[in-house]
Amino acid sequence: MKIKVGVMGSASETGKPDAGQTLTEKAEALGYAVAKREGLLLTGATTGLVYLVGKTAHDAGSFHIGISPAANQQEHVDLYKLPLDACDAIVYTGFGLKGRNVVLVRSCDIVLFIAGSMGSLNEFTIAHDEGKVIGCLTGSGGVADEADQLVQKFGKRTPARVFQNEDPDKLIDICLEAATFKQA
């Protein structure tokens, strides 16, 4: 069975680039890294950096499932203003953004973060509470860069394991090893 890798983070293309590498490049590199490992990709079927990761992985051969907050395709496009072209399949939850986040996180073996603000913070806390293997792409800003501080300040005991790396390939390898060990 393929490992299910969720990518969460910024639904916009803003954030903090590091060392001359743009966030677009980081997002595309993360998409390629997921595709190389032949994992099943899950996202919030959304826009921004997460869209770039999903579209890149999809175009590189990954099967990409989007978990939508909408009840159907029309609501997905018209109400939430979300794209359809990066996913192989979309699950329409009808649960709104916060409800969608629970379904998305619980469906993943590994949860990866690129940048991210309040919505991603919600996904991070769900992943932490659920004891997931969490990977944060550092140098991208937001939740991904603040994970250590968040866990230190607000953490509670869970079986979650949080890893950080600025290199998408190394981050995924660390998380895959942790998830494989955890599943064994």
Side-chain angles (χ1 to χ4, degrees):
M1 183 180 294
K2 290 187 178 206
I3 195 150
K4 296 175 293 296
V5 178
V7 173
M8 289 147 222
S10 184
S12 71
E13 294 181 28
T14 61
K16 181 186 92 176
D18 72 317
Q21 184 177 27
T22 68
L23 284 175
T24 297
E25 291 168 341
K26 277 191 172 282
E28 290 171 346
L30 187 58
Y32 286 123
V34 170
K36 277 196 297 193
R37 278 122 184 121
E38 299 180 0
L40 180 63
L41 175 64
L42 291 97
T43 70
T46 192
T47 57
L49 294 174
V50 175
Y51 171 83
L52 289 172
V53 173
K55 181 78 169 128
T56 300
H58 172 267
D59 291 350
S62 279
F63 193 83
H64 178 191
I65 298 174
I67 309 295
S68 174
N72 55 50
Q73 182 174 323
Q74 182 177 355
E75 191 176 272
H76 180 84
V77 173
D78 294 344
L79 177 63
Y80 289 97
K81 309 289 187 226
L82 298 175
L84 299 170
D85 64 321
C87 299
D88 292 290
I90 298 179
V91 175
Y92 297 104
T93 65
F95 293 156
L97 293 170
K98 300 303 178 250
R100 180 269 318 262
N101 292 351
V102 173
V103 173
L104 175 57
V105 170
R106 284 188 170 172
S107 298
C108 300
D109 300 311
I110 295 171
V111 180
L112 302 177
F113 287 90
I114 180 169
S117 57
M118 290 305 249
S120 303
L121 180 59
N122 176 251
E123 291 163 328
F124 182 85
T125 60
I126 295 166
H128 192 269
D129 283 351
E130 295 287 325
K132 298 293 182 177
V133 172
I134 300 168
C136 297
L137 188 60
T138 54
S140 62
V143 171
D145 281 350
E146 300 298 327
D148 270 351
Q149 184 178 348
L150 292 168
V151 171
Q152 286 175 4
K153 185 152 181 112
F154 303 109
K156 66 180 185 182
R157 289 190 175 268
T158 74
R161 292 192 280 163
V162 181
F163 301 96
Q164 298 171 311
N165 203 295
E166 65 183 295
D167 181 278
D169 283 303
K170 289 178 184 173
L171 179 64
I172 289 179
D173 287 343
I174 293 165
C175 290
L176 284 171
E177 185 176 322
T180 301
F181 176 74
K182 187 176 177 180
Q183 291 176 341

